[in-house]
Amino acid sequence: TYGCRCYQPYRCFHALKLIKKDCLLSPRVSRCASTAAVPRITTHYTIHPRDKDKRWEGVNMERFAEEADVVIVGAGPAGLSAAIRLKQLAAEHNREVRVCLVEKASQIGAHTLSGACVEPRSLEELFPDWKERGAPLHTPVTEDKFGILTETSRIPVPILPGLPMVNHGNYIVRLGHLVSWLGEQAEALGVEIYPGYAAAEVLFHEDGSVKGIATNDVGIQKDGAPKATFERGLELHAKVTVFAEGCHGHLAKQLYKKYNLRENCQPQSYGIGLKELWTIDEKKWKPGRVEHTVGWPLDRHTYGGSFLYHLNEREPLVALGFVVGLDYQNPYLNPFREFQRWKHHPSVQPTLEGGKRIAYGARALNEGGIQSIPKLTFPGGLLIGCSPGLLNVPKIKGTHTAMKSGMVASEAIFSQLINENLQSKTIGLDVQEYEENLKKSWVWKELYAVRNIRPSCHTVLGVYGGMIYTGIFYWLLRGMEPWTLKHPGNFIIS
């Protein structure tokens, strides 16, 4: 046996040498021989400019341009709420405001994976009659459960009134359905929605203010050359451009650098949320139940946890997920594998046995909290929703704060659009009142109250230190403690 173990690696190494030699010498190996024909330039025009690429000589690069009052990038809860509120204000004041909204998904809600616990506060402000309008909130929370997992057992933890994890009054929803419904309300109010068009580029005026955006070009080969069907994207110009891309949007990243928006805030920290939607055995289905856990399979130094929501959508559905902070210390940790391990825990596996996974996905999360929120306004544009990071991390909820930020932004934008005496220093309007008003709203108060919970996990006790901090300081002082903890290090995703 010992001889075989020594011999096997030698055979493999010898075989690799023969294959390499065959690739170099034999014309029969077309795959190896053809590698020399592969273009060595990158395909993206931001790295290899088209005006220096001979393949693009003579190609018509003119774009068609449209003018609007406000352009919104991203049809998530924040972007749609902003569009709806603008049109509501225009109707109330008998004004005509053209609002255009671009969304990369083929249809509104298609890129929003179902399964979320939503606080309806913003929806009630936007549409007080949301129930009569048929908003798809069918599952009020009836039961809250929280626990600490060990490898073989579950330790129940009581949820005291006033803690962030209390979900009384909230709804478990299929978020994609809610976003789709918001899209229908926006269209009914006259918002021009362009699904299937990704905002690929920020456009600027000569004075440096944002002019609008351009959608992506189509008809480009894999090697970066134009096809016969090549068409330039559409330009959308506006007095104000609202960026609601979600976490770590590629346009927002450009704006951070151009306007130095992150000068006076801490670096953003991130997490990844893995989510699945299952149909399960009806006998195991508990509509309205919300379950959260921390602990196994993560160690105490890795921030993260799980959720399992029982939906009431005419069939036995559960939405389950696993969140891992990307500041984990173990370089070999695989968030998806930890998610898989969690699904086999003795307290989780029985719910899923006999069921079927019907959808899955993942998304990035801003976890820096209020300490990491950048400057929200700049000449010609502003940031709303999860783009700047308005997620309430301990609650694991950002839909209500995102929607409210869009509404506050629209109210500030509209007041400038109808201000006949406004003297703007730049062509693109600088709506600084938005950030001022947001800081006076309940969104800022809510995020300020929980500002220390996530950073408190960076102690020798790790996640359990954060739980102790929450149970003592937050529960007693409700975020009024006279200190603000900082996030350690400079954890940044480029």
Side-chain angles (χ1 to χ4, degrees):
T1 304
Y2 180 78
C4 292
R5 287 178 180 171
C6 293
Y7 182 60
Q8 288 292 345
Y10 171 77
R11 288 184 61 186
C12 294
F13 179 70
H14 182 64
L16 286 171
K17 287 178 67 178
L18 292 175
I19 292 170
K20 182 177 179 182
K21 183 178 179 181
D22 196 28
C23 287
L24 293 172
L25 301 179
S26 174
R28 293 174 297 172
V29 187
S30 58
R31 187 173 181 180
C32 294
S34 65
T35 55
V38 175
R40 301 176 71 177
I41 62 170
T42 181
T43 64
H44 207 269
Y45 63 87
T46 57
I47 306 299
H48 189 83
R50 288 169 178 168
D51 58 357
K52 297 179 182 179
D53 189 341
K54 293 182 179 179
R55 300 175 300 176
W56 287 87
E57 290 180 0
V59 177
N60 182 13
M61 301 300 287
E62 186 177 356
R63 281 185 176 131
F64 180 74
E66 285 273 359
E67 296 287 338
D69 292 300
V70 179
V71 167
I72 300 172
V73 179
L80 287 166
S81 297
I84 289 168
R85 188 66 187 132
L86 270 168
K87 281 297 189 176
Q88 287 177 338
L89 290 167
E92 291 170 12
H93 292 80
N94 198 25
R95 293 293 188 109
E96 188 63 38
V97 176
R98 187 181 183 192
V99 181
C100 296
L101 187 151
V102 295
E103 164 59 33
K104 66 182 183 297
S106 59
Q107 59 186 23
I108 304 303
H111 283 184
T112 307
L113 184 60
S114 291
C117 189
V118 170
E119 190 172 310
R121 185 173 184 176
S122 296
L123 183 61
E124 289 170 353
E125 293 182 17
L126 190 62
F127 291 115
D129 59 343
W130 60 268
K131 291 183 180 179
E132 291 75 14
R133 288 173 175 263
L137 278 70
H138 308 304
T139 315
V141 175
T142 58
E143 183 182 4
D144 253 332
K145 297 182 71 176
F146 185 76
I148 300 173
L149 298 186
T150 67
E151 189 169 355
T152 58
S153 62
R154 175 190 183 114
I155 304 169
V157 177
I159 304 176
L160 301 175
L163 290 179
M165 300 306 292
V166 173
N167 285 292
H168 177 74
N170 296 338
Y171 289 80
I172 306 169
V173 302
R174 297 192 68 169
L175 194 56
H177 291 185
L178 177 59
V179 169
S180 179
W181 180 84
L182 286 171
E184 293 172 3
Q185 308 308 305
E187 284 188 309
L189 289 167
V191 178
E192 298 176 33
I193 299 180
Y194 298 92
Y197 289 90
E201 181 182 348
V202 183
L203 305 175
F204 299 95
H205 291 291
E206 291 182 0
D207 63 7
S209 61
V210 172
K211 184 178 183 179
I213 57 95
T215 61
N216 53 302
D217 299 336
V218 295
I220 303 174
Q221 297 180 36
K222 289 182 179 180
D223 64 358
K227 295 180 181 179
T229 56
F230 172 77
E231 287 186 16
R232 285 286 265 162
L234 171 71
E235 287 190 8
L236 287 170
H237 302 165
K239 299 179 180 70
V240 182
T241 305
V242 179
F243 295 88
E245 296 177 281
C247 176
H248 207 61
H250 75 113
L251 298 184
K253 286 165 60 180
Q254 298 172 32
L255 297 167
Y256 291 154
K257 293 179 181 178
K258 181 173 179 63
Y259 298 109
N260 201 18
L261 301 178
R262 303 203 65 89
E263 181 181 14
N264 297 315
C265 69
Q266 291 183 36
Q268 186 61 266
S269 63
Y270 298 91
I272 184 170
L274 306 151
K275 186 189 291 187
E276 294 180 352
L277 192 66
W278 284 62
T279 57
I280 62 170
D281 185 343
E282 193 165 355
K283 296 177 182 178
K284 305 170 184 177
W285 182 41
K286 308 291 182 183
R289 175 184 285 183
V290 166
E291 301 181 46
H292 289 98
T293 69
V294 296
W296 189 90
L298 302 178
D299 60 36
R300 72 175 188 275
H301 297 298
T302 304
Y303 184 84
S306 75
F307 61 87
L308 198 157
Y309 304 147
H310 292 249
L311 288 145
N312 188 9
E313 299 281 343
R314 302 195 189 101
E315 58 179 329
L317 287 174
V318 293
L320 55 136
F322 201 76
V323 177
V324 179
L326 294 181
D327 54 356
Y328 53 79
Q329 299 176 13
N330 177 8
Y332 298 102
L333 186 144
N334 183 320
F336 178 73
R337 287 183 180 174
E338 300 305 289
F339 182 29
Q340 295 294 93
R341 293 173 69 198
W342 170 79
K343 285 190 286 185
H344 287 84
H345 190 270
S347 69
V348 180
Q349 185 173 340
T351 301
L352 303 179
E353 277 181 335
K356 180 181 180 182
R357 185 178 64 181
I358 59 175
Y360 58 92
R363 63 159 293 179
L365 303 168
N366 289 310
E367 292 190 341
I370 205 168
Q371 296 95 317
S372 302
I373 295 176
K375 190 175 187 299
L376 300 174
T377 63
F378 42 90
L382 46 84
L383 303 168
I384 65 173
C386 287
S387 183
L390 300 180
L391 173 72
N392 185 323
V393 181
K395 276 189 177 182
I396 326 177
K397 292 176 181 63
T399 303
H400 65 302
T401 51
M403 292 177 67
K404 180 62 176 179
S405 71
M407 295 157 65
V408 173
S410 291
E411 289 161 3
I413 291 168
F414 187 77
S415 67
Q416 287 209 13
L417 292 178
I418 64 173
N419 186 352
E420 297 177 357
N421 300 318
L422 179 68
Q423 299 294 323
S424 177
K425 295 180 180 179
T426 55
I427 301 174
L429 300 182
D430 192 355
V431 191
Q432 295 186 21
E433 295 82 1
Y434 157 56
E435 185 164 352
E436 296 168 7
N437 294 344
L438 189 68
K439 289 181 178 180
K440 297 174 185 176
S441 72
W442 55 260
V443 170
W444 210 260
K445 182 179 180 181
E446 179 178 316
L447 296 181
Y448 182 81
V450 299
R451 69 194 182 282
N452 288 325
I453 294 179
R454 176 68 173 91
S456 68
C457 296
H458 293 287
T459 66
V460 292
L461 297 176
V463 175
Y464 303 110
M467 293 177 63
I468 294 169
Y469 184 96
T470 305
I472 298 176
F473 292 105
Y474 178 81
W475 192 69
L476 291 176
L477 302 175
R478 292 296 190 271
M480 298 304 294
E481 58 267 30
W483 60 81
T484 297
L485 302 178
K486 292 185 177 181
H487 300 288
N490 291 312
F491 180 73
I492 304 174
I493 298 179
S494 61

